Amino acid sequence: MAAAASLTIFSVSASKSPKQPSIQTTVDVFHQNRNGFALRRQFLKGLTIFPLTTLFEQPLSSQAREVEVGSYLPPSPSDPSFVLFKASPKDTPALRAGNVQPYQFVLPPTWKQARVANILSGNYCQPKCAEPWVEVKFEDVKQGKIQVVASPLIRLTNKPNASIEEIGNPEKLIASLGPFVTGNSYDPDELLETSVEKVGDQTYYKYVLETPFALTGTHNLAKATAKGSTVVLFVASANDTQWQTSQKVLKAMLDSFQI
């Protein structure tokens, strides 16, 4: 358009005066137009590399921190060699929506929080998710990883606000949630041990699994409970090397989990 406007002005001026623009004037106009087009090209190129949505994106408090948790979490009152993570509404979409009750657990101060992909976080379906989602993840290359998985109660029972005992026994529950422990499939032969724990009015099912084909790791520990409209599952995973040196740490983390 700028080029067309210049040509129109040129033709009107020519009709009013026989004087023709100098060669230098024509060259200057050409360079101005060319520079303007070049600037626009650079701007559009920049938007391609740096999408407009990024300009308005705000950092989420639930995003992973690339620092050791010991730098910002308080020591555990029961064991100062661990730090205490207490989940709050600022940490996950489900906690903000009130679909999950606050939970807590301890972990070594050298661990780091891992990022949870948006499609796995339940952010897109709150407050009425039909499938399980991942609440938080933490990991340490030398020791293993943990994650908290939440499942809508309606997926497991039609009874509102059912307790974990009302859903079924430990074997029935892990048969439904086992794939969310392993990351792919669950075979009942992988279950080595189950136990039931009572903490006040809350009942927990605990599991020890040996999972040679699991995506999460060859060794998995799990602890599940039900509260409100959700079943919450704590999973600690390790490969063979990590398990040899860190199984006591992972078990301590599992034991500390409560809602």
Side-chain angles (χ1 to χ4, degrees):
M1 292 298 294
S6 299
L7 291 174
T8 302
I9 293 170
F10 171 79
S11 62
V12 171
S13 299
S15 64
K16 288 184 177 180
S17 173
K19 184 179 180 180
Q20 298 294 327
S22 65
I23 295 176
Q24 183 60 45
T25 301
T26 303
V27 171
D28 289 342
V29 171
F30 170 77
H31 282 301
Q32 287 173 5
N33 292 333
R34 186 181 65 177
N35 291 338
F37 290 136
L39 286 172
R40 282 191 289 275
R41 282 199 304 271
Q42 290 298 319
F43 179 72
L44 293 172
K45 182 180 179 182
L47 291 182
T48 303
I49 299 172
F50 189 76
L52 279 174
T53 53
T54 308
L55 296 174
F56 306 103
E57 183 179 352
Q58 296 296 322
L60 300 175
S61 58
S62 60
Q63 288 179 343
R65 304 188 189 188
E66 299 299 326
V67 295
E68 295 180 350
V69 294
S71 66
Y72 61 90
L73 292 180
S76 168
S78 59
D79 187 346
S81 65
F82 290 92
V83 294
L84 179 63
F85 175 78
K86 284 187 174 183
S88 67
K90 69 180 180 63
D91 291 308
T92 74
L95 283 163
R96 287 192 289 275
N99 277 354
V100 174
Q101 298 300 309
Y103 48 85
Q104 65 180 48
F105 53 87
V106 303
L107 65 164
T110 55
W111 283 47
K112 296 180 180 180
Q113 188 170 5
R115 191 176 301 279
V116 177
N118 190 57
I119 194 171
L120 299 177
S121 71
N123 186 42
Y124 66 95
C125 62
Q126 298 295 340
K128 294 184 178 181
C129 293
E131 293 296 324
W133 64 90
V134 178
E135 281 280 291
V136 293
K137 296 171 68 175
F138 293 85
E139 61 188 11
D140 183 281
V141 174
K142 296 180 180 179
Q143 294 185 307
K145 54 192 173 186
I146 66 95
Q147 61 179 336
V148 175
V149 179
S151 172
L153 191 65
I154 192 66
R155 190 177 183 274
L156 303 169
T157 178
N158 291 325
K159 183 176 181 179
N161 299 312
S163 67
I164 198 167
E165 298 100 327
E166 291 172 320
I167 296 173
N169 60 31
E171 289 76 15
K172 179 181 178 181
L173 186 75
I174 197 64
S176 297
L177 297 181
F180 301 97
V181 173
T182 64
N184 45 10
S185 61
Y186 169 72
D187 185 334
D189 291 338
E190 297 172 335
L191 183 60
L192 301 181
E193 182 183 327
T194 65
S195 60
V196 179
E197 176 183 274
K198 288 280 281 188
V199 180
D201 296 331
Q202 199 71 27
T203 301
Y204 298 84
Y205 290 168
K206 297 172 66 176
Y207 305 91
V208 178
L209 303 98
E210 188 172 289
T211 52
F213 306 110
L215 295 178
T216 51
T218 49
H219 300 271
N220 275 286
L221 304 172
K223 185 176 180 179
T225 193
K227 192 166 187 178
S229 61
T230 311
V231 172
V232 183
L233 181 71
F234 181 94
V235 182
S237 308
N239 58 36
D240 289 333
T241 302
Q242 294 166 335
W243 184 252
Q244 290 176 5
T245 58
S246 305
Q247 58 179 295
K248 289 184 178 180
V249 171
L250 296 174
K251 288 179 178 179
M253 296 167 68
L254 182 87
D255 290 341
S256 72
F257 174 77
Q258 58 181 320
I259 193 168

